[in-house]
Amino acid sequence: MMSLDPGEHRLDIRLVRDVRAMGGIGDPNISIIVEVKPSTDELYIETGKILVPEIIDGHSLAGQVGSVPIVNQMQDWVDVLTVETQPKGDAEVSILGKSTVTIAPGQSRSLTIAFETVGKAARSMTLRLSYRTQSSPQIKYTRWSSLTFTARKISEPHRMTFLHPSGTVSYAILRAPVHSVNQEFKNESLPILLNLHGAGLEAESDQVRHMLDSVKSINAWVLFPTGGTAWSGDDWHTWGFGDVQAAVAAIPSWINIMSWTGPLARLDALYVTGHSNGGQGAWYALTHLPDNIKGAAPVSGYSSIQAYVPYTFWHEADPGIASIIQKSLSNYRHELLIDNAKGIPIQQQHGDMDDNVPPFHSRRMYQLLTQTESSPSYNELSGKGHWYDGVMVTPKLQRFYEKISNGDADISRLPRVFSIVIPCSGTMGSRGGIFVEQLVSPDQQGRIDVQRNDSDSWMIHTAAVRRARVERVGDQLGNIEAVLRTRGEMRVRYAPLDVLSEALQITRNLYQYFGASCELAEYSKSVEGSGNVISVLQGLPSVVLKSSRWEADSHPIAITDHCVEISRNDGSSSALKHYPLEPGLGAIFLVPRPNEAVELRVWGRDSEGLGHALRLVPSLTGVGQPDFVLLRRECAWKGSAGVLAMGFFDSQWQVSRGSYLS
């Protein structure tokens, strides 16, 4: 949304041709249609994007939440008060959790609504919102918008809604094991088969929804997650895989709503398959949740973002800087984590004529798996490209699906000898029941080698591991992208008022790329709730905060009126580096909050410096943001080679030894 004064204007539009969606062959052309129209509503409901569960067998909703996307098209802040529906009596709909939802001028948010009851014959209704601006007590109303519940049979794949960990509403397509109700599995718990879609696809599209229709005899719950958006949020990584786990956790609620009497679901027994970007997501699941993943079938998937999108054209940089960027990306370098998948049944598949994801990726992963003494199966399809109808139901894949059962998947399935490789990340699950919570330093991957003896004793050797437990207590949270792993509504704060537009753009980006609905407020307002926080500040602390320093207790980075201070303790001595404030200086870094939440601080000495820092707020994968970066004017043309400092925080939130401080 833009507010334009009378007269001529030029609109610059940035176009990006994404090789994952459009392929890497032919002329790189982009065709677009631009539609510009005047806004007629103060508070606009995007009716076509309203998300609700589908209604099953004419009486039960597959979920108790929905979302209403709204856009504040005024120049004033808006408080949304209530939601009303017609006809009366068919449903009780309310705003979930909050008495009011605040929306900044020009901001888009998704309003979470709860369905208390729905009449048996309800198929559609209309709704409107009541609201008021913060400059007037007058209550206003939006236009009525239609809402339709699509009817499905319980035997069909259908849309189930649930809450993402961020508090926004997401959905997945669920296929219940209806065929198993009257079979030997009726009174048992069945595993869950995850099917991860490729880039740019909606999980509710016919292509995804009916992808496995021809395979009826899968003794499992089949789940087609979204990852948060058609682009799976962040390639099935931090935000996207959090969506997958939330979808899995929502199945018991579905069982309760439906009064389901068939097999229950084993939430800790997951099989995963996926195509293209979803195939890469299958590698991510394998290497990060090895105790939970009982089998996998990556199809035409790339091995890692680093291998798929070359970094050849990045600016050359000091080797110390380049190594930090590579460490920042190591959580997604599945080739380095392949030891975690040892012993897990894997069926790979790739077309030898694939011009989107070259078959090298699957060949390389097969080679690495065999080096771990695993026994993967690899099916390379002669004369086949990236996608064709039936690619997910080839004979070998069908045999993989048919092997899925409710058999025991306990500790006895572990190899006698296995290893756990741990990047600095808060997303790693357990292997053999062992959780690695903290590394000695984020500068080096951790590793545990285990040998199980006949006497049931284990020989364990660790390297670069500070703390490991058989039950999770708390862990290192990962790099800057850890802010996406929020357990509650994301909050964006800003100061002074001049940077409202920059903070607003962050909320727009998070909404566009991840479907996140963020609360936006001035920095002076207190932060409540368990969600993560992004704070955007520009200028001297004494001017913006009425304090001479912007710092957190015991944190090694402080911003003062004269310099940015970064302290580092190497174990034998302490050093304090001072970086004088200069035009174009900017910083972005993590700060811990209670209960393993984090705050991402984004600061600029001036608008130029803030602009540099804002570019590193997570929105795309493969960027390689560490825990902190101090930027200067030269970054505009040198990229990472222009930074003054960058690196990681260790388990004590101190600057690690391997960090770069110029």
Side-chain angles (χ1 to χ4, degrees), residues 14 36 65 89 92 214 219 248 251 279 360 447 461 521 533 574 618:
R14 184 183 183 190
V36 180
V65 291
E92 294 180 9
S214 62
N219 292 315
V248 169
I251 293 178
F360 161 81
R447 184 180 181 92
H461 179 268
V533 177
S574 297

Side-chain angles (χ1 to χ4, degrees), residues 21-36:
M22 304 172 187
I25 62 173
D27 295 331
N29 297 323
I30 302 177
S31 299
I32 66 168
I33 297 175
V34 178
E35 181 183 7
V36 180

Side-chain angles (χ1 to χ4, degrees), residues 257-320:
I257 293 171
M258 296 296 163
S259 300
W260 171 259
T261 58
L264 300 179
R266 285 197 58 187
L267 305 187
D268 62 344
L270 308 177
Y271 290 77
V272 60
T273 186
H275 178 265
S276 190
N277 192 23
Q280 177 271 155
W283 289 122
Y284 179 85
L286 262 173
T287 55
H288 286 71
L289 293 176
D291 268 355
N292 298 101
I293 302 300
K294 309 306 178 184
V299 178
S300 304
Y302 55 93
S303 57
S304 64
I305 189 69
Q306 295 94 321
Y308 185 44
V309 181
Y311 287 65
T312 307
F313 300 110
W314 279 37
H315 290 286
E316 296 79 7
D318 182 293

Side-chain angles (χ1 to χ4, degrees), residues 476-485 532-534 552 555-557 587-593 597-602 618 625-629 647-649 653:
Q476 287 167 297
L477 301 175
N479 306 325
I480 280 176
E481 66 207 15
V483 74
L484 299 177
R485 198 164 49 254
N532 291 340
V533 177
I534 300 176
H555 196 273
I557 297 180
I588 182 169
F589 54 96
L590 287 174
V591 172
R593 297 188 66 242
V598 294
E599 176 187 357
L600 180 61
R601 293 189 170 182
V602 188
Q625 303 103 317
D627 295 359
F628 70 90
V629 185
F648 305 98
F649 301 125
W653 282 94

Side-chain angles (χ1 to χ4, degrees), residues 392-454:
M392 297 302 294
V393 289
T394 60
K396 287 198 174 182
L397 285 177
Q398 290 197 44
R399 285 195 290 273
F400 172 81
Y401 302 141
E402 290 165 0
K403 289 179 181 178
I404 298 175
S405 70
N406 67 324
D408 288 337
D410 57 19
I411 201 72
S412 64
R413 293 190 57 178
L414 275 174
R416 283 287 182 180
V417 178
F418 66 93
S419 299
I420 313 168
V421 182
I422 311 98
C424 183
S425 165
T427 60
M428 291 297 297
S430 65
R431 182 63 162 152
I434 300 173
F435 286 101
V436 176
E437 295 178 335
Q438 291 184 345
L439 303 179
V440 172
S441 171
D443 302 321
Q444 178 182 346
Q445 286 188 330
R447 184 180 181 92
I448 295 182
D449 295 314
V450 180
Q451 179 175 334
R452 300 168 56 220
N453 300 320
D454 292 335

Side-chain angles (χ1 to χ4, degrees), residues 102-231:
T102 302
I103 311 175
Q107 186 182 10
S108 297
R109 295 196 66 176
S110 57
L111 185 71
T112 300
I113 55 176
F115 300 101
E116 301 297 333
T117 60
V118 174
K120 184 174 182 178
R123 290 293 184 275
S124 63
M125 66 178 70
T126 57
L127 61 78
R128 70 175 183 178
L129 306 175
S130 67
Y131 66 94
R132 64 177 172 229
T133 64
Q134 293 189 353
S135 62
S136 171
Q138 179 185 0
I139 295 179
K140 301 181 180 180
Y141 296 89
T142 64
R143 300 188 189 194
W144 289 98
S145 296
S146 61
L147 185 156
T148 301
F149 298 99
T150 302
R152 303 280 182 186
K153 295 180 180 178
I154 200 168
S155 58
E156 295 180 278
H158 54 267
R159 187 196 309 130
M160 170 186 71
T161 60
F162 55 90
L163 290 179
H164 183 275
S166 66
T168 59
V169 177
S170 186
Y171 79 92
I173 299 299
L174 177 68
R175 192 176 100 180
V178 176
H179 73 283
S180 300
V181 171
N182 297 317
Q183 298 180 13
E184 66 270 26
F185 303 112
K186 179 178 180 180
N187 298 318
E188 310 222 10
S189 295
L190 296 181
I192 300 166
L193 172 61
L194 302 171
N195 188 297
L196 309 182
H197 63 74
L201 289 175
E202 288 287 356
E204 63 179 349
S205 66
D206 286 344
Q207 178 178 330
V208 176
R209 185 191 291 257
H210 300 294
M211 190 176 287
L212 301 180
D213 279 6
S214 62
V215 189
K216 298 294 185 183
S217 56
I218 302 178
N219 292 315
W221 296 78
V222 182
L223 196 63
F224 302 86
T226 67
T229 68
W231 293 88

Side-chain angles (χ1 to χ4, degrees), residues 609-636:
L610 182 60
H612 295 323
L614 286 168
R615 291 175 65 86
L616 294 183
V617 175
S619 61
L620 299 174
T621 55
V623 176
Q625 303 103 317
D627 295 359
F628 70 90
V629 185
L630 183 60
L631 308 106
R632 55 181 168 177
R633 177 169 286 171
E634 286 87 334
C635 291

